[in-house]
């Protein structure tokens, strides 16, 4: 009976990064409690609500980057697409265009970048680092050009204070059931993409491509179609984060989203999504985004310098990847021994 129990839990922990996800959640609890013991304000309701709101941006970016990482690729254009989204939507709204139409136009532009990434990587087999590096510069260039190389005016100048306030409340300042709307937006998107990745054929194909692209091709999987879908998910999530930043500032900033592609990698990798492809769960990404934000929040509250914050988080990212590499190496050795 005991052996059966052990076998069950061993299988559970091996399912596409479930073990790493659980470890990330345990780490989150330990980190949060540790900061709370040294700084009681960590446990305050205000801090928890702000933490959830801030975490939401990292979660959304993490979802997009995780989809890409699981296919064995990377998306360096994420941060620039965030900036492009914020600038296009803010420019249109500050010019007086209907907010919904402004957001839809910005979303369409972002999805176009995702489509281009998918074509370059999935169809023409360009190295994802090079392809998305190129679109990173293109998207950031558009963010600069859309309002004549300057940040936008406040969106209230075009929409009026009341309409602008509604936009800002929906994406950032407003609350539902006492929790910021930003968190609910991220949570709904998380649930949708979690379902797609874990319960649909598209999700299975994403894992298959990341595990073994040649075997996936022989199985009849369209690498081009699946890769493009993954990059479109990334672009969609980036667009929404752009809307959130626009709502937060009430205007468009040309540098919005700077370095967010790395935040996405961190959220995914800390949560057990392998940068080598084929492994990881969005549950882990959720935990990874929470760990990232909790570290940032806690280090801020205890007065740690920004440099220290970056070093701590950088070390955690490296250790997470190192752990993944060691686990994979150990698995390969075991497989070889079994064959012998």
């Amino acid at each position: 009976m005991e052996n059966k129990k052990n076998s069950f839990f061993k299988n559970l922990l091996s399912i596409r990064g479930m073990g790493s996800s659980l470890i990330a959640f345990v780490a989150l609890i330990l980190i949060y409690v540790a900061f709370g013991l040294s700084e009681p304000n960590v446990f305050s309701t205000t801090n928890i609500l702000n933490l959830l709101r801030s975490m939401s941006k990292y979660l959304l970016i993490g979802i997009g980057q995780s989809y890409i990482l699981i296919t064995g690729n990377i998306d360096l254009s994420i941060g620039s697409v965030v900036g492009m989204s914020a600038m296009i939507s803010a420019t249109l709204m500050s010019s007086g265009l209907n907010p919904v139409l402004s957001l839809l136009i910005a979303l369409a532009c972002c999805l176009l970048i995702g489509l281009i990434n998918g074509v370059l990587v999935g169809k023409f087999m360009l190295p994802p680092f090079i392809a998305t590096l190129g679109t990173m510069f293109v998207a950031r260039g558009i963010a600069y050009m859309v309002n004549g190389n300057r940040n936008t005016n406040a969106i209230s100048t075009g929409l009026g204070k009341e309409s602008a306030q509604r936009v800002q409340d929906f994406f950032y300042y407003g609350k539902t059931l006492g929790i910021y709307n930003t968190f609910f937006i991220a949570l709904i998107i998380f649930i949708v993409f979690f379902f797609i990745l874990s319960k649909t054929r598209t999700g299975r194909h994403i894992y298959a491509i990341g595990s073994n692209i040649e075997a996936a091709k022989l199985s009849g999987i369209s690498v081009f179609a699946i890769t493009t879908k993954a990059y479109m998910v990334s672009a969609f999530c980036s667009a929404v984060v752009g809307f959130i930043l626009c709502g937060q500032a009430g205007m468009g900033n040309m540098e919005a989203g700077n370095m967010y592609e790395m935040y996405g990698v961190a959220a995914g990798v800390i949560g057990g999504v392998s940068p080598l492809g084929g492994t990881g769960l969005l549950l882990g990404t959720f935990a990874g985004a929470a760990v990232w934000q909790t570290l940032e929040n806690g280090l801020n509250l205890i007065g740690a310098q920004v440099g220290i914050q970056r070093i701590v988080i950088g070390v955690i990212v490296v250790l997470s990847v190192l752990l993944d590499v060691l686990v994979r190496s150990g698995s390969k050795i075991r497989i070889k021994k079994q064959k012998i």
Side-chain angles (χ1 to χ4, degrees), residues 83-110 142-143 145-148 150-160 163-164 167 242-243 246 250-253:
M84 188 179 80
S85 169
M87 281 299 294
I88 291 175
S89 57
T91 299
L92 293 174
M93 284 189 279
S94 63
S95 301
L97 190 65
N98 177 277
V100 175
L101 188 56
S102 300
L103 296 174
L104 287 175
I105 290 171
L107 176 60
C109 293
C110 294
I142 293 171
M145 291 174 60
V146 72
N147 196 47
R150 58 190 175 86
N151 296 332
T152 72
N153 296 322
I155 60 175
S156 58
T157 59
L159 299 179
S163 296
V167 171
F243 302 156
C246 176
M251 59 177 285
N253 187 322

Side-chain angles (χ1 to χ4, degrees), residues 58 173 181 202 307:
Y58 297 145
Y173 294 102
N181 293 337
T202 296

Side-chain angles (χ1 to χ4, degrees), residues 104-157:
L104 287 175
I105 290 171
L107 176 60
C109 293
C110 294
L111 291 177
L112 180 60
I113 296 293
L115 177 62
I116 291 169
N117 283 334
V119 171
L120 293 175
V121 176
K123 182 74 172 176
F124 295 104
M125 297 299 171
L126 261 65
F129 184 91
I130 300 301
T132 60
L133 181 66
T135 52
M136 176 185 80
F137 284 111
V138 170
R140 186 63 69 182
I142 293 171
Y144 272 82
M145 291 174 60
V146 72
N147 196 47
N149 289 303
R150 58 190 175 86
N151 296 332
T152 72
N153 296 322
I155 60 175
S156 58
T157 59

